[in-house]
Amino acid sequence: MAVNSRYDLKLLYSREEISTVVNRLAANISNDYDGKDLIIIGVLKGAVIFLSDLIRELSIPAEIDFIGLSSYGDGVTSCGEVKIIAQPTAPVTGRHILITEDIVDTGLCIEGLLKYFSAFKPASIKICALMDKPSRHQVPVEIAYAGFTIPDKFVVGYGLDYAQRYRYLPQIYTLEEVSDEGQLASDD
Ligand code: IMP
């Protein structure tokens, strides 16, 4: 995906579809963590909108915190190597951590985050991801709470960006490259 190309947005998931999935995830999390000391860690910046909606659907108390990873050039590539640029401030030792991600692509970010948080000896660490691209995984990733399973497409909106654009959009779109003739270059 070239930074200088032109793109069109194609709707992938509507607000209604997103909220159905968020409600399902929140119900499962509420059920599984009832009575446990839960801390939900949002991965900046992409997971902010998802986390905000998710926690408001929980029926159990949870603390929230955030972790910032380094940005990756034009925004279309994945972590490759995880560099933490903003550390969480809340103590996590002995607590149940739920890492909340916007999307799992290669799985390398999650792998790095699991390694980082394991060092603090939490009671447990699990992953909640709004979207997953299983065909792109480079490492095994166990997603305890998975929203949408999507094909190998670049998606934006609902917190996800392309070069810092489109995060504010309330729905999720695929980014489709436009050919010179103005046609969608994608085949669907
Ligand atoms: P991973 O380490 O390859 O799994 O990368 C996950 C991170 O890459 C996500 O948290 C996003 O920041 C970014 N990313 C991967 N795929 C997309 C996408 O389709 N749209 C927007 N960001 C993406």
Side-chain angles (χ1 to χ4, degrees):
M1 187 173 282
V3 182
N4 293 329
S5 302
R6 289 199 304 119
Y7 297 99
D8 274 346
L9 300 183
K10 190 170 149 197
L11 184 65
L12 182 62
Y13 296 118
S14 66
R15 291 179 92 133
E16 292 71 26
E17 288 169 299
I18 296 168
S19 75
T20 301
V21 161
V22 169
N23 291 350
R24 167 176 57 86
L25 297 174
N28 292 341
I29 292 164
S30 301
N31 188 52
D32 295 352
Y33 288 93
D34 191 15
K36 294 184 175 162
D37 182 12
L38 173 62
I39 175 154
I40 298 180
I41 310 271
V43 183
L44 296 170
K45 303 174 190 170
V48 165
I49 311 281
F50 171 46
L51 181 143
S52 314
D53 282 348
L54 182 75
I55 58 172
R56 285 178 291 171
E57 297 303 328
L58 294 176
S59 59
I60 56 162
E63 187 174 334
I64 60 165
D65 204 347
F66 295 92
I67 187 163
L69 306 179
S70 54
S71 68
Y72 307 98
D74 59 20
V76 298
T77 50
S78 293
C79 285
E81 191 183 309
V82 178
K83 189 170 161 222
I84 289 156
I85 52 169
Q87 312 251 358
T89 52
V92 294
T93 304
R95 307 180 71 188
H96 295 276
I97 299 178
L98 184 63
I99 298 173
T100 306
E101 259 283 32
D102 51 356
I103 189 163
V104 176
D105 187 44
T106 63
L108 294 168
C109 283
I110 289 298
E111 188 183 54
L113 287 166
L114 288 172
K115 203 181 293 175
Y116 172 84
F117 282 113
S118 299
F120 294 96
K121 307 255 181 287
S124 70
I125 318 181
K126 284 187 179 174
I127 309 298
C128 172
L130 177 65
M131 284 176 280
D132 183 26
K133 294 185 205 173
S135 65
R136 296 262 311 158
H137 290 186
Q138 289 177 17
V139 289
V141 203
E142 200 183 317
I143 305 174
Y145 306 95
F148 301 104
T149 298
I150 66 166
D152 182 9
K153 291 270 189 181
F154 198 83
V155 291
V156 295
Y158 197 68
L160 290 98
D161 76 309
Y162 167 59
Q164 299 304 323
R165 296 168 66 194
Y166 308 121
R167 288 194 202 277
Y168 64 92
L169 296 173
Q171 310 189 100
I172 297 171
Y173 300 84
T174 55
L175 209 56
E176 308 283 346
E177 198 163 351
V178 177
S179 71
D180 289 344
E181 292 78 36
Q183 302 290 316
L184 290 185
S186 166
D187 53 11
D188 65 0

